């Protein structure tokens, strides 16, 4: 079998109030398709965030096409390394690994379809029958503890037993810009009150995960994490600091009682190596569309397994991401929970020919070949970003 074409498709999902309030609707998903001379087409996802950067990764996928045409799509490992070395002279992680990710996922989809087996079977088979998730409940429109209380009750009533949020609303506007790492006393206290209110709403048995979005300096991160843990027993404090450098993370780790989760902005096994070796986190959360695809997520999971650290894949993009992360999750011993965004679910299904299958808060994968779902190319074409030329 030979690869005959590689294409990227940048679409605009309709993600509603959360994204609009944070990013002014500037959010796209990048899908990847790989065609072969035997009629099998695979697909993957190379989405970036936010502000039109999915157009950049889409252009990146097109730029590396020449390295793939004529190659045997079965040689996933070799093609991963070919791309990783051929296009990374100015740096090997992040942007290039996002391009590689969508291609890698599409190659696994092709391999599964060619062999008539689901991808998880090619990764060693099932460790479990379904995939535990946690709900990234954006709580769009909520601003008071009372509103969060009511919204959290609904999330649990809908069948979720783990919920993630960022209660420090004042920091939203600094989500992707430089800031001093501090928060006002009023903003900090409102955040504590929101989490206490959510804890009151959901009871003691539901996990509350707090995403700090890399906003803070060391003393602020330490103070927030410890107070949230002592007052409201949070399950983890995620990305306390900007992702650059380990010295500050070591300092936070030494001073913090709350469990820690990092990794959505760590790329490839090399970025995770020192974190795991030094015990700087309790959970790792690689993103399958950013860290290097199914191949790389599986390797990072095996590295974490050595340290008995659970893996909880980051998942804040589209349907290719949740399916690819799902196939690794279902086949991985040290899997914890797969993220999913409640408000994104209709948009996952919008771009698939058949909807994803859920039982309560668990994702099912079924036993169809490859990723198990097909991109709806009519829906993709109908939602192309105006700046993307098909
Ligand atoms: Mg996060």
């Amino acid at each position: 079998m030979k690869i005959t074409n590689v294409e990227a498709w940048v679409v605009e999902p309709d993600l509603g109030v959360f994204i609009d309030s944070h990013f002014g609707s500037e959010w796209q998903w990048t899908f990847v398709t790989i065609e072969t001379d035997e009629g099998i087409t695979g697909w993957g996802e190379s989405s970036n965030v936010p502000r039109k950067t999915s157009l950049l990764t889409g252009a990146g996928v097109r730029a590396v096409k020449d390295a793939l045409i004529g190659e045997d799509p079965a040689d996933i490992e070799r093609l991963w390394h070919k791309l990783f070395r051929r296009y990374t002279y100015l740096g090997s992680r992040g942007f290039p690994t996002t391009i590689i990710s969508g291609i890698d996922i599409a190659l696994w989809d092709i391999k599964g379809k060619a062999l008539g087996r689901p991808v998880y079977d090619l990764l060693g088979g099932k460790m479990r029958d379904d995939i535990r998730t946690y709900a990234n409940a954006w709580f769009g429109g909520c601003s008071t503890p009372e509103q969060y209380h009511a919204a959290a009750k609904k999330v649990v009533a809908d069948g979720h037993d783990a919920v993630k949020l960022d209660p420090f609303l004042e920091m939203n506007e600094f989500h992707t810009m430089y800031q001093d790492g501090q928060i006002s006393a009023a903003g900090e206290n409102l955040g504590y009150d929101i989490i206490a209110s959510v804890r009151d709403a959901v009871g003691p048995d539901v996990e509350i995960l707090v995403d700090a979005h890399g906003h803070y300096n060391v003393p602020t991160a330490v103070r927030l994490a410890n107070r949230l843990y002592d007052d409201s027993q949070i399950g983890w404090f995620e990305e306390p600091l900007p992702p650059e450098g380990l010295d500050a993370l070591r300092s936070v780790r030494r001073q913090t009682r709350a469990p820690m989760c990092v990794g959505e902005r760590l790329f490839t096994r090399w970025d995770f190596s020192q974190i795991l070796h030094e015990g700087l986190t309790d959970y790792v959360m690689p993103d399958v569309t950013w860290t290097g695809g199914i191949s790389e997520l599986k390797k990072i999971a095996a590295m974490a397994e050595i340290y008995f650290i659970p893996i909880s894949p980051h998942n804040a993009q589209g349907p290719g991401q949740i399916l690819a992360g799902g196939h690794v999750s279902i086949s991985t011993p040290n899997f914890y929970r797969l993220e999913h965004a409640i408000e994104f679910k209709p948009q996952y299904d919008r771009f698939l020919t058949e909807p994803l299958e859920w039982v309560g808060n668990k994702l099912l994968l079924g036993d169809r070949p490859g990723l198990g779902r097909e991109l709806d190319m009519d829906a993709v074409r109908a939602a192309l970003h105006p700046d993307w030329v098909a």
Side-chain angles (χ1 to χ4, degrees):
M1 196 187 296
K2 298 273 184 261
I3 294 172
T4 54
N5 197 20
V6 179
E7 189 49 280
W9 311 82
V10 183
V11 302
E12 287 189 301
D14 179 10
L15 299 175
V17 62
F18 168 78
I19 297 300
D20 289 352
S21 66
H22 282 63
F23 301 111
S25 303
E26 289 288 351
W27 196 285
Q28 304 85 36
W29 289 343
T30 301
F31 299 122
V32 178
T33 52
I34 299 182
E35 295 167 44
T36 66
D37 62 354
E38 294 189 17
I40 296 176
T41 298
W43 71 282
E45 184 172 336
S46 288
S47 299
N48 196 347
V49 288
R51 299 187 188 91
K52 298 189 180 178
T53 49
S54 283
L55 292 161
L56 293 178
T57 49
V61 169
R62 282 179 168 170
V64 306
K65 176 175 171 173
D66 289 349
L68 296 167
I69 301 292
E71 290 278 13
D72 184 342
D75 296 344
I76 300 174
E77 187 73 23
R78 185 176 60 79
L79 295 178
W80 193 101
H81 283 273
K82 181 178 183 181
L83 297 174
F84 189 65
R85 291 301 170 203
R86 188 167 165 142
Y87 296 101
T88 59
Y89 218 77
L90 298 186
S92 58
R93 304 173 208 177
F95 185 76
T97 53
T98 299
I99 293 165
I100 294 170
S101 294
I103 292 165
D104 177 271
I105 294 165
L107 293 175
W108 279 103
D109 187 38
I110 290 171
K111 188 183 282 282
K113 286 168 175 166
L115 296 172
R117 302 303 308 169
V119 168
Y120 62 73
D121 247 8
L122 312 177
L123 301 174
K126 284 184 289 186
M127 279 295 297
R128 52 192 61 81
D129 291 329
D130 49 35
I131 300 160
R132 291 185 303 273
T133 65
Y134 71 82
N136 197 332
W138 301 111
F139 294 110
C142 293
S143 56
T144 67
E146 294 72 29
Q147 289 167 337
Y148 275 89
H149 193 280
K153 270 208 173 309
K154 181 172 184 319
V155 170
V156 174
D158 287 345
H160 298 286
D161 61 358
V163 59
K164 186 166 96 178
L165 69 160
D166 180 348
F168 298 108
L169 308 180
E170 171 186 310
M171 304 303 285
N172 279 350
E173 64 179 294
F174 303 112
H175 194 54
T176 51
M177 65 179 279
Y178 176 77
Q179 34 81 31
D180 61 13
Q182 303 181 80
I183 183 171
S184 73
E188 181 172 338
N189 286 321
L190 175 61
Y192 297 144
D193 289 347
I194 286 170
I195 294 297
S197 180
V198 170
R199 173 56 75 203
D200 181 66
V202 303
D205 297 338
V206 171
E207 283 179 64
I208 302 173
L209 311 171
V210 173
D211 192 346
H213 285 119
H215 289 153
Y216 301 107
N217 59 29
V218 169
T220 308
V222 168
R223 192 174 68 247
L224 299 182
N226 285 337
R227 175 83 180 268
L228 290 169
Y229 183 66
D230 292 344
D231 287 359
S232 300
Q233 302 80 51
I234 60 167
W236 78 42
F237 193 67
E238 172 179 324
E239 279 202 308
L241 306 161
E244 298 84 15
L246 294 186
D247 290 330
L249 188 60
R250 278 186 205 102
S251 177
V252 168
R253 181 68 166 162
R254 272 198 304 272
Q255 302 179 68
T256 304
R257 293 183 289 283
M260 197 90 75
C261 181
V262 297
E264 72 181 68
R265 283 181 273 186
L266 299 176
F267 312 108
T268 77
R269 71 209 89 146
W270 290 284
D271 274 1
F272 283 89
S273 169
Q274 199 67 18
I275 299 270
L276 291 166
H277 181 65
E278 292 193 39
L280 297 182
T281 192
D282 297 280
Y283 300 86
V284 288
M285 52 176 318
D287 185 311
V288 72
T289 60
W290 295 342
T291 208
I294 288 171
S295 301
E296 199 63 18
L297 184 60
K298 187 70 179 170
K299 289 172 181 174
I300 293 164
M303 286 170 57
E305 187 188 356
I306 296 171
Y307 298 94
F308 298 101
I309 291 293
I311 182 167
S312 191
H314 177 254
N315 195 83
Q317 296 293 339
Q321 183 189 41
I322 195 165
L323 282 165
H327 280 272
V328 176
S329 297
I330 207 167
S331 67
T332 290
N334 52 318
F335 165 67
Y336 188 60
R337 290 180 185 272
L338 179 65
E339 180 174 14
H340 80 292
I342 297 174
E343 294 173 17
F344 287 18
K345 274 172 142 179
Q347 297 299 308
Y348 300 150
D349 292 342
R350 173 183 172 191
F351 294 106
L352 299 174
T353 55
E354 286 178 80
L356 297 176
E357 190 178 357
W358 301 86
V359 175
N361 69 337
K362 294 190 169 124
L363 175 66
L364 305 183
L365 289 181
D367 58 3
R368 290 182 216 166
L371 293 173
R373 289 290 184 281
E374 289 301 323
L375 262 189
D376 181 339
M377 292 309 298
D378 291 337
V380 167
R381 287 192 177 89
L384 287 177
H385 190 278
D387 293 346
W388 186 253
V389 179

